[in-house]
Amino acid sequence: MSGAVVHPLPRPVVTREVHLVRRPHGFPEHDDFALVDRELTGLGDREVLVANHHFSVDPYMRGRMNDIPSYVAPYALGEVMDGRAIGTVLASTADGIAVGDLVRTNLGWRTHGIAPATGVERLDVPDGVSPSAYLGVLGVPGLTAWVGLLDVAGLRDGDTVFVSGAAGAVGSLVGQLARLRGASRVIGSAGSSAKVAWLTDELGFDVAFSYRDAPVRRSLRAAAPNGIDVYFDNVGHDHLEAALASANDFARFAVCGMIAGYNDTADQRSPGVRNLAEIVRKRLAIRGFIVTDSLDRNAAFLQEVTPWVAGGHIRSRETVVDGIDHAVDAFRGLLRGENTGKMLVALHDS
Amino acid sequence: MSGAVVHPLPRPVVTREVHLVRRPHGFPEHDDFALVDRELTGLGDREVLVANHHFSVDPYMRGRMNDIPSYVAPYALGEVMDGRAIGTVLASTADGIAVGDLVRTNLGWRTHGIAPATGVERLDVPDGVSPSAYLGVLGVPGLTAWVGLLDVAGLRDGDTVFVSGAAGAVGSLVGQLARLRGASRVIGSAGSSAKVAWLTDELGFDVAFSYRDAPVRRSLRAAAPNGIDVYFDNVGHDHLEAALASANDFARFAVCGMIAGYNDTADQRSPGVRNLAEIVRKRLAIRGFIVTDSLDRNAAFLQEVTPWVAGGHIRSRETVVDGIDHAVDAFRGLLRGENTGKMLVALHDS
């Protein structure tokens, strides 16, 4: 990522990085990763040295740990895992980016890093918004929710909307956006009673339930006696089966992810979905999407959602794990659903 | 179906009908049906007495034999099974419909019947077209193929198209339409080597394979080394899994039926589909459809396809079972894939 060093730093900076050293088989283990310290000594032209404050761990990263062709290249073994991060500029040879600027980069799981200017985005954070929001509700997860609900599922006034993984970074915004955009009923599933309480008591979901309490199909039928018109899928499997069973005619499904199967292996796979015939019977439209196809929608997304966040109409939460040494714990916790809202790693000492 | 008899027939007509007398559990058995003779003695106002030549047996009828809510009402026990039929008018009290007219009705599985004028469609059959085509290639199956391929899947020039159940009434037209409409490669699956030969030697499919010879996933990958852009699904299950695996990014699936699961019961169900995560990874658009939502497209369909049929550019075949007493055999054979092209029951003595 760094070019020829033509601008030595006043003194070297030591960065600690998380490298992928073995491709996980099923659920990721600590030994799949290694902590590596490296010394950064200087910058090339048009480069920026950043001290990360926070970086993001996201479900999609599990897919990148496999060596299969996908919409983003797999992580290379022995390399740092990139991903969205925010931090402060410590040194810069790039026009328009100055020491002290708050920036968003793709530097990922490390304390410090050097990025080309083209991979650095200066953040102007309005009053009432925390910088880390640009990794969550105003970041890629927020754009994912907005694009999926509005562009992919085509939310309409009066729709009943069901979102799985509703207490996650994406799902919690889907529900709130649906409410603000005219849905008549918003239903969410999550993995604990505390999350369920957060959804209904603070985020304005009409109904929420824990998928651990009862079969999802039964819970959803009780929550949506008149059926659902939109399903935003973060989970797949039993949640998708339930949504198919409760779908109204001509319902639209935006499929964002299927975290339930992310750790499947060739010899141990989640059960298949059995009621796909509902697709015909109910004339369903099911569309998968990936937010990176819709980055041109980011300006419109921020224009609509930033005031809602700043004004408190949209709420968000972060689950913050402290320290680069616990990044793998954060990621494993994410896959187990231990987060409420956006899962972040904070680097207070950098 | 018949109103007050105010117009006695010159002499009574005996009709033989197939009634559903028990809801099938799994694969339909002969004892689920009964042959019933009834005497028709007269017509009400604006009614038509028809002697059927042919009636249609269709996969969707299996669903109507179950007592569950669906897009068409279930068949009632002890009643005749309605469905598309063509025949000759024997008596009429309706303006514009005369004795001797060739008509298409919804009178279904019976030799004779009385229909209200609103349920009777006069057929003007052009040269080069057989009347029974209006139950197949120019009938509802044809419209299904046309709507699904063009409106639902949105066929584009250069697409590689895969259709399952390709030797059936719908599938055989899908492949030929795709070819005439600019697809670069047309692939079909069927259930015998004779059907496969028909698809490639007579209908112009680029590749066809029998799903009995090898796993569908492997056969499709060999047939479409560069992936598929459109999948027209008549089968579901292993065919759907194969199409998901071979789909290109942004492929479109038109889901017309999933015959593989039509005879599933609560205690014996087909295996589920396991690779639905491809929907996200490849940003697939999967839409179910039912042709009765698109009857307003019939005129445009006939305008385009009738000349192709009359001119021999589109070929069709019929598998004809003789006699009302064998209607149940015809239907069971259809569900076992014994037909090539449209499965019909012919009533030569009526």
Side-chain angles (χ1 to χ4, degrees):
Chain A
M1 190 165 288
S2 81
V5 175
V6 291
H7 307 281
L9 297 172
R11 53 197 168 102
V13 170
V14 174
T15 176
R16 177 161 282 194
E17 306 177 338
V18 181
H19 290 194
L20 184 71
V21 295
R22 189 178 66 188
R23 302 206 177 278
H25 181 79
F27 199 87
E29 302 295 336
H30 281 278
D31 288 348
D32 298 329
F33 306 88
L35 286 166
V36 177
D37 291 337
R38 284 205 305 135
E39 200 175 71
L40 307 174
T41 56
L43 297 181
D45 288 329
R46 291 172 298 282
E47 289 190 334
V48 178
L49 172 66
V50 180
N52 279 342
H53 304 162
H54 294 87
F55 62 81
S56 178
V57 295
D58 299 281
Y60 80 86
M61 292 174 169
R62 177 64 188 86
R64 292 190 64 190
M65 294 174 187
N66 299 331
D67 188 19
I68 55 167
S70 187
Y71 54 94
V72 278
Y75 288 121
L77 292 180
E79 300 276 347
V80 69
M81 288 189 300
D82 57 41
R84 296 290 168 139
I86 55 172
T88 300
V89 173
L90 298 187
S92 171
T93 59
D95 287 344
I97 305 175
V99 171
D101 279 355
L102 183 72
V103 294
R104 184 166 61 176
T105 72
N106 205 39
L107 286 170
W109 297 28
R110 54 184 139 189
T111 60
H112 303 74
I114 294 169
T118 51
V120 175
E121 187 185 355
R122 287 184 66 249
L123 294 177
D124 290 311
V125 181
D127 288 345
V129 175
S130 80
S132 59
Y134 289 89
L135 294 178
V137 64
L138 295 178
V140 173
L143 179 62
T144 303
W146 191 82
V147 164
L149 184 68
L150 304 179
D151 293 350
V152 180
L155 179 74
R156 294 196 280 255
D157 271 1
D159 277 343
T160 292
V161 175
F162 172 49
V163 54
S164 56
V170 174
S172 58
L173 185 55
V174 169
Q176 295 180 83
L177 278 175
R179 186 173 46 79
L180 289 164
R181 278 293 205 117
S184 69
R185 190 172 178 82
V186 177
I187 300 159
S189 70
S192 74
S193 54
K195 291 180 183 179
V196 164
W198 180 54
L199 295 176
T200 53
D201 299 351
E202 295 188 39
L203 301 194
F205 280 62
D206 295 287
V207 191
F209 58 83
S210 168
Y211 61 81
R212 298 187 206 269
D213 287 351
V216 178
R217 197 187 280 232
R218 194 195 310 159
S219 300
L220 180 58
R221 197 168 293 285
N226 296 319
I228 63 170
D229 305 299
V230 166
Y231 174 46
F232 191 108
D233 192 9
N234 290 307
V235 175
H237 297 283
D238 57 342
H239 282 77
L240 180 55
E241 282 199 343
L244 288 163
S246 278
N248 290 327
D249 286 354
F250 303 104
R252 293 94 62 207
F253 288 17
V255 187
C256 176
M258 293 190 173
I259 198 169
Y262 284 5
N263 294 307
D264 283 3
T265 60
D267 47 307
Q268 190 157 14
R269 300 178 71 185
S270 302
V273 171
R274 288 170 176 275
N275 59 341
L276 292 172
E278 301 287 11
I279 295 172
V280 185
R281 197 163 76 82
K282 298 174 173 175
R283 299 86 122 186
L284 304 181
I286 299 180
R287 272 186 60 197
F289 73 104
I290 292 172
V291 68
T292 46
D293 293 327
S294 300
L295 297 181
D296 61 330
R297 297 287 278 154
N298 195 52
F301 155 67
L302 286 176
Q303 185 172 23
E304 175 168 3
V305 177
T306 305
W308 280 337
V309 172
H313 303 291
I314 286 181
R315 296 179 184 197
S316 60
R317 239 186 229 188
E318 295 166 351
T319 301
V320 179
V321 171
D322 279 328
I324 185 81
D325 295 6
H326 296 293
V328 173
D329 295 321
F331 184 66
R332 286 162 51 93
L334 173 78
L335 294 180
R336 283 192 293 250
E338 291 171 1
N339 57 306
T340 300
K342 184 73 194 94
M343 183 69 112
L344 296 176
V345 175
L347 304 164
H348 294 296
D349 53 347
S350 62
Chain B
M1 190 164 292
S2 84
V5 175
V6 293
H7 308 280
L9 296 172
R11 52 193 168 103
V13 170
V14 174
T15 175
R16 177 162 281 195
E17 306 178 338
V18 181
H19 290 195
L20 184 70
V21 296
R22 187 178 69 185
R23 302 208 176 276
H25 180 79
F27 200 88
E29 302 294 335
H30 281 278
D31 288 350
D32 298 328
F33 306 88
L35 286 167
V36 177
D37 291 336
R38 284 204 306 134
E39 200 174 70
L40 306 174
T41 56
L43 297 179
D45 288 329
R46 292 172 298 282
E47 289 190 336
V48 177
L49 172 66
V50 179
N52 280 342
H53 304 161
H54 293 88
F55 62 81
S56 178
V57 294
D58 299 280
Y60 81 87
M61 292 174 167
R62 177 63 189 85
R64 292 189 64 190
M65 294 174 186
N66 298 330
D67 188 18
I68 54 167
S70 188
Y71 54 95
V72 279
Y75 287 122
L77 291 180
E79 299 276 347
V80 69
M81 287 189 299
D82 56 41
R84 296 290 168 137
I86 56 172
T88 300
V89 173
L90 298 186
S92 171
T93 59
D95 287 344
I97 305 174
V99 171
D101 280 353
L102 183 71
V103 293
R104 183 166 63 175
T105 71
N106 205 39
L107 286 170
W109 296 28
R110 54 183 140 190
T111 59
H112 303 74
I114 295 168
T118 52
V120 175
E121 186 185 356
R122 286 184 66 252
L123 293 177
D124 289 311
V125 180
D127 287 345
V129 175
S130 80
S132 58
Y134 289 88
L135 295 178
V137 64
L138 295 177
V140 174
L143 179 62
T144 302
W146 191 82
V147 164
L149 184 68
L150 304 180
D151 294 350
V152 180
L155 179 73
R156 294 195 281 255
D157 270 1
D159 277 344
T160 293
V161 175
F162 172 50
V163 54
S164 57
V170 174
S172 58
L173 185 54
V174 168
Q176 294 179 85
L177 277 174
R179 190 172 44 77
L180 289 165
R181 279 294 205 116
S184 69
R185 191 171 177 84
V186 177
I187 300 159
S189 71
S192 74
S193 52
K195 290 179 182 178
V196 164
W198 181 55
L199 295 176
T200 53
D201 299 350
E202 294 190 39
L203 301 194
F205 282 62
D206 295 287
V207 192
F209 58 84
S210 167
Y211 62 80
R212 297 187 209 269
D213 286 351
V216 178
R217 197 187 280 231
R218 193 195 310 162
S219 300
L220 180 58
R221 198 168 292 283
N226 296 317
I228 63 170
D229 306 300
V230 166
Y231 174 46
F232 192 108
D233 193 10
N234 290 307
V235 175
H237 298 284
D238 56 342
H239 282 77
L240 180 55
E241 283 198 341
L244 288 164
S246 279
N248 290 327
D249 286 353
F250 304 104
R252 295 91 64 205
F253 288 18
V255 188
C256 176
M258 293 189 173
I259 197 170
Y262 284 5
N263 294 307
D264 283 2
T265 60
D267 47 308
Q268 191 158 14
R269 301 178 70 185
S270 303
V273 171
R274 289 170 176 273
N275 59 342
L276 292 172
E278 301 287 11
I279 295 173
V280 185
R281 197 162 77 81
K282 298 174 172 174
R283 299 84 123 185
L284 305 180
I286 299 179
R287 273 185 60 198
F289 73 103
I290 292 171
V291 68
T292 46
D293 294 326
S294 300
L295 296 181
D296 60 331
R297 299 285 279 153
N298 196 51
F301 155 68
L302 286 176
Q303 185 171 20
E304 175 168 4
V305 177
T306 306
W308 281 336
V309 171
H313 303 290
I314 286 180
R315 296 177 182 198
S316 60
R317 240 186 230 187
E318 295 167 350
T319 300
V320 180
V321 171
D322 279 328
I324 186 81
D325 294 6
H326 297 292
V328 173
D329 295 319
F331 184 66
R332 286 162 52 93
L334 174 77
L335 294 180
R336 283 193 292 251
E338 292 170 3
N339 56 307
T340 298
K342 183 75 193 96
M343 183 68 114
L344 296 176
V345 174
L347 304 164
H348 296 294
D349 53 344
S350 62

